[in-house]
Amino acid sequence: MLHLLVFSVFGLICVAGAINLLVQRHPINSALSLVVVMGSLAVEYLLLGAEFVAAVQVIVYAGAIMVLFVFVIMLLNAGVEERSKGSRVAMLFGVPGVLIGTVLVAWVLLARSGTGNVAVGALPGPPKVIGWLLFHDFLLPFEVTSVLVLIAIMGAVVLASHPGSKQPDKREG
Amino acid sequence: MVPLSYYLVLSGILFACGVTGFLIKRNIITVFMSIELMLNGVNLSFVAFAAQWHALSGQVFVFFVMVVAAAEATVGLAIIIAVYRTRETLNVDRINLLKL
Amino acid sequence: MTLSVFILVSVIKIVVALGILLTAVAYTVWLERKVVGHIQNRWGPTRVGPFGLLQPLADGVKFIFKEDLLPPHVYKPLYIAAPMIALIFALTSISVIPIGNWVTVLGIHTPLEITDVNIGLLIVLGITSLGVYGVALAGWSSNSKYSLLGGLRAGAQMVSYEISLGLSLVGVLIMAGSFNLREIVDAQSGTFWGFIPRWNIFQGQIVAFFIYLMAAYAETNRIPFDLPEAETELVAGYHTEYSAMKFAMFFMAEYANMITVACLATLLFLGGWNGPHRFGPPLLQAVLPVFWFAVKIFAFLFLYIWVRGTLPRFRYDQLMAFGWKFLLPLAIANLVITALIVALRA
């Protein structure tokens, strides 16, 4: 009972945040509603027992990636978004399509997916076990993603630095 | 006890919201945020399926998704900054030329 | 323990913890003014109460009765929400920080913290990493150039130093093998050769402690890294446009963050509530751990204030270079060496 209550409260917050992201015209409001979505998703992870995933979700997603988004919005001083022709076509055809698809998927899931019930903390994912898995069963993917991150860092530095402008003169320090 | 399908439906709704945002939003930063929303929806289904099959690898996958999302966010935002510098707009409809 | 008793105990603990934290915040401000005053050969607050001890109270009353200005050019919802976000996250992070062993009062066995979770450290890091939103949004929503620059600086600075901060803690985590703050403290009990305590700082984590210290100064926006609110160039940085209680919220958030950082440093590096407590009657022995904990926090806060009274402010490019080119490689090197030693010992 309590489980269902917590699940539905945070699920509703989640969906409300996601819809608010779509409705808001200003990117900073969208970014903040996405932070709300991520925070309530962390609670859902906790309900499923994935404590480490929940913590990392808050630290990495809400605390780092979204801060980066907010930072870029502030840096570029992004204003209210303007609606143009392309979006009207997408709204006419895309949105109903997505809606129909979602309803279909939801119906299949609810009516005949054959999945059981889950209790609170159904599958605990303590950091120790996750770490063991990462460094044994998933060692190769782990190393590959580390290379990916390295490439991303270098790419970001190259892309965001002013094209053509020379490195500023080395001062002291 | 909550049916697992509720979690999956929630994940589906989040994904659909992400797709919708990707279609209707015109600000490139918001479009990008919609992609993050889709990834979040997928992550929830990963964790839910991990609970269904009692396999922790589902949770490990979430970390990989997060790492990829972080890498994507850094490069993507750097591209957005570069685009803004040359075109001074964030509207995706106006960024329609390969070369200025 | 039944559910109603559990809720009652939790509410009592939350009220007590909040009371202690807010009092500590108020008296940290007093301490700072007093110590900085003496460093600069002044007296600091002396007029209100003996030694100016009632000064925080007077300040609070003043903040409440000041006019709450709402500048016309701000983006209202976020302008109002930003200080609340900052304060809420600053206060929430105290909830998983233990200040002593388990105690039994009136037949109820309970830990000396609001809740004992096994990923306590991660929760503290997560909540404090959300605190940056308050600062960044305050800077953006004020719609003024000083605020925006302060907010941008704060965002970049806090995200950059969070990496070094997190990496400096990993060494400790490797040695303790747990995210639970209680277990980390327990791993530091005992002494080497009977007199050197087995605190992590004496177990080869002194470099990590240094990194943590530097990163913590930057995370809490304190001198020498207080670029987001550098008075001489940015007026007051992100809270330029704020007044009265909203300003007070930022102020309280800053000091609450300082206390959280001091708590973490005490728990992770300075042995928590461990100390020479094998004397006196049973009641004294029960209270002494909390006393040692408070003493260590006080020492850490004193260091904070001492540095503030001593060092000048960095330049912004120096700050970034220091964080990325010196602290981060040092933290990684420390992590690698610690891991190597632990692996060889095992």
Side-chain angles (χ1 to χ4, degrees):
Chain A
M1 194 54 223
L2 201 60
H3 185 186
L4 186 65
L5 188 73
V6 177
F7 168 82
S8 20
V9 166
F10 282 94
L12 281 181
I13 295 176
C14 228
V15 174
I19 290 173
N20 194 39
L21 189 156
L22 304 180
V23 174
Q24 290 291 341
R25 302 285 295 273
H26 201 288
I28 208 148
N29 293 341
S30 301
L32 291 179
S33 35
L34 189 52
V35 173
V36 171
V37 172
M38 285 163 173
S40 37
L41 265 183
V43 178
E44 304 282 354
Y45 292 156
L46 269 184
L47 279 181
L48 283 166
E51 50 189 43
F52 193 44
V53 176
V56 174
Q57 163 96 0
V58 173
I59 295 174
V60 174
Y61 255 132
I65 297 182
M66 287 319 293
V67 172
L68 213 59
F69 272 92
V70 172
F71 186 80
V72 169
I73 293 170
M74 281 164 66
L75 189 72
L76 301 184
N77 202 9
V80 174
E81 130 190 85
E82 40 179 320
R83 293 270 155 85
S84 42
K85 269 229 177 79
S87 69
R88 228 170 292 151
V89 176
M91 238 185 237
L92 273 180
F93 296 101
V95 177
V98 170
L99 263 180
I100 293 167
T102 316
V103 170
L104 255 169
V105 169
W107 177 71
V108 168
L109 282 173
L110 288 175
R112 42 193 73 198
S113 67
T115 47
N117 292 348
V118 283
V120 179
L123 178 66
K128 233 175 212 167
V129 184
I130 299 270
W132 178 268
L133 274 175
L134 265 181
F135 286 104
H136 287 84
D137 297 11
F138 293 93
L139 185 61
L140 183 65
F142 181 81
E143 295 297 337
V144 172
T145 42
S146 71
V147 175
L148 176 78
V149 169
L150 193 65
I151 295 169
I153 293 172
M154 291 194 292
V157 170
V158 170
L159 280 169
S161 63
H162 268 287
S165 73
K166 288 263 161 34
Q167 197 68 13
D169 298 0
K170 267 267 177 209
R171 276 172 295 187
E172 77 288 342
Chain B
M1 300 290 268
V2 168
L4 191 83
S5 42
Y6 286 12
Y7 285 98
L8 297 176
V9 168
L10 177 61
S11 130
I13 292 174
L14 289 183
F15 191 86
C17 285
V19 174
T20 316
F22 188 82
L23 289 176
I24 66 170
K25 297 307 265 190
R26 288 297 129 206
N27 188 318
I28 189 165
I29 300 178
T30 326
V31 170
F32 206 45
M33 281 191 264
S34 311
I35 300 177
E36 297 291 331
L37 185 59
M38 283 191 253
L39 286 173
N40 268 284
V42 172
N43 278 352
L44 181 61
S45 71
F46 265 130
V47 175
F49 276 124
Q52 163 82 6
W53 299 111
H54 279 275
L56 269 178
S57 36
Q59 295 186 11
V60 175
F61 261 63
V62 175
F63 291 104
F64 289 120
V65 174
M66 278 183 196
V67 172
V68 172
E72 178 214 327
T74 38
V75 177
L77 289 173
I79 291 175
I80 288 174
I81 290 176
V83 164
Y84 187 79
R85 258 193 210 129
T86 49
R87 283 159 214 262
E88 298 189 339
T89 179
L90 289 170
N91 189 329
V92 280
D93 285 336
R94 300 231 184 125
I95 310 170
N96 51 4
L97 298 174
L98 283 176
K99 206 174 167 207
L100 276 178
Chain C
M1 203 190 297
T2 56
L3 189 66
S4 52
V5 174
F6 174 76
I7 290 175
L8 185 69
V9 170
S10 298
V11 169
I12 290 173
K13 281 199 286 194
I14 289 170
V15 170
V16 170
L18 262 185
I20 293 175
L21 182 61
L22 290 177
T23 316
V25 165
Y27 279 94
T28 313
V29 178
W30 174 83
L31 185 75
E32 168 150 22
R33 293 177 65 177
K34 208 70 183 164
V35 171
V36 171
H38 279 279
I39 287 175
Q40 295 166 350
N41 214 353
R42 297 181 285 114
W43 280 108
T46 51
R47 298 298 174 92
V48 196
F51 307 105
L53 270 172
L54 293 178
Q55 185 70 38
L57 207 67
D59 282 346
V61 171
K62 185 193 75 174
F63 274 129
I64 291 170
F65 284 115
K66 269 199 168 180
E67 186 189 352
D68 200 6
L69 284 175
L70 194 67
H73 50 78
V74 299
Y75 183 61
K76 231 187 256 169
L78 291 183
Y79 178 81
I80 294 169
M84 296 179 188
I85 294 174
L87 184 62
I88 287 171
F89 287 128
L91 293 182
T92 323
S93 52
I94 208 77
S95 60
V96 292
I97 287 176
I99 60 169
N101 283 315
W102 284 67
V103 289
T104 308
V105 182
L106 302 175
I108 298 167
H109 197 53
T110 180
L112 274 181
E113 63 187 306
I114 291 174
T115 177
D116 187 14
V117 288
N118 49 0
I119 49 166
L121 181 60
L122 285 177
I123 288 183
V124 176
L125 286 181
I127 293 174
T128 46
S129 74
L130 291 178
V132 64
Y133 283 110
V135 177
L137 291 179
W140 183 81
S141 66
S142 294
N143 206 359
S144 114
K145 58 188 168 193
Y146 297 124
S147 303
L148 183 67
L149 277 176
L152 277 175
R153 282 183 177 186
Q157 171 178 334
M158 286 163 99
V159 170
S160 311
Y161 275 79
E162 212 174 281
I163 304 171
S164 311
L165 186 91
L167 280 177
S168 74
L169 302 182
V170 178
V172 173
L173 292 176
I174 290 177
M175 296 179 73
S178 170
F179 278 113
N180 187 327
L181 291 166
R182 205 166 276 284
E183 283 176 30
I184 293 174
V185 170
D186 288 342
Q188 301 175 57
S189 59
T191 50
F192 294 115
W193 311 298
F195 65 99
I196 301 176
R198 294 177 66 95
W199 300 347
N200 274 326
I201 190 170
F202 297 124
Q203 288 202 54
Q205 290 299 316
I206 183 120
V207 179
F209 183 69
F210 168 75
I211 298 165
Y212 177 84
L213 201 63
M214 295 294 114
Y217 286 137
E219 283 287 307
T220 47
N221 300 328
R222 298 281 301 177
I223 286 176
F225 302 122
D226 70 334
L227 273 301
E229 44 189 289
E231 299 90 359
T232 37
E233 35 181 326
L234 291 184
V235 189
Y238 58 86
H239 51 59
T240 306
E241 304 287 338
Y242 283 90
S243 57
M245 217 43 216
K246 295 204 195 74
F247 170 74
M249 282 188 197
F250 278 119
F251 206 63
M252 281 154 74
E254 181 180 331
Y255 283 88
N257 276 331
M258 274 170 67
I259 290 173
T260 310
V261 159
C263 286
L264 266 194
T266 309
L267 291 169
L268 295 172
F269 294 103
L270 303 178
W273 52 84
N274 287 316
H277 55 84
R278 281 176 190 75
F279 56 85
L283 184 68
L284 190 67
Q285 286 204 11
V287 176
L288 264 178
V290 181
F291 173 72
W292 294 129
F293 191 72
V295 165
K296 286 169 189 174
I297 288 178
F298 172 78
F300 196 87
L301 287 176
F302 187 81
L303 183 67
Y304 243 116
I305 297 165
W306 192 0
V307 167
R308 188 220 151 143
T310 314
L311 290 184
R313 183 178 300 130
F314 274 49
R315 220 172 47 215
Y316 199 68
D317 59 321
Q318 288 173 332
L319 168 90
M320 278 298 161
F322 182 71
W324 286 103
K325 295 180 189 166
F326 179 69
L327 273 193
L328 186 62
L330 193 65
I332 294 175
N334 173 65
L335 171 59
V336 170
I337 292 171
T338 310
L340 208 65
I341 290 173
V342 170
L344 287 180
R345 221 189 266 162

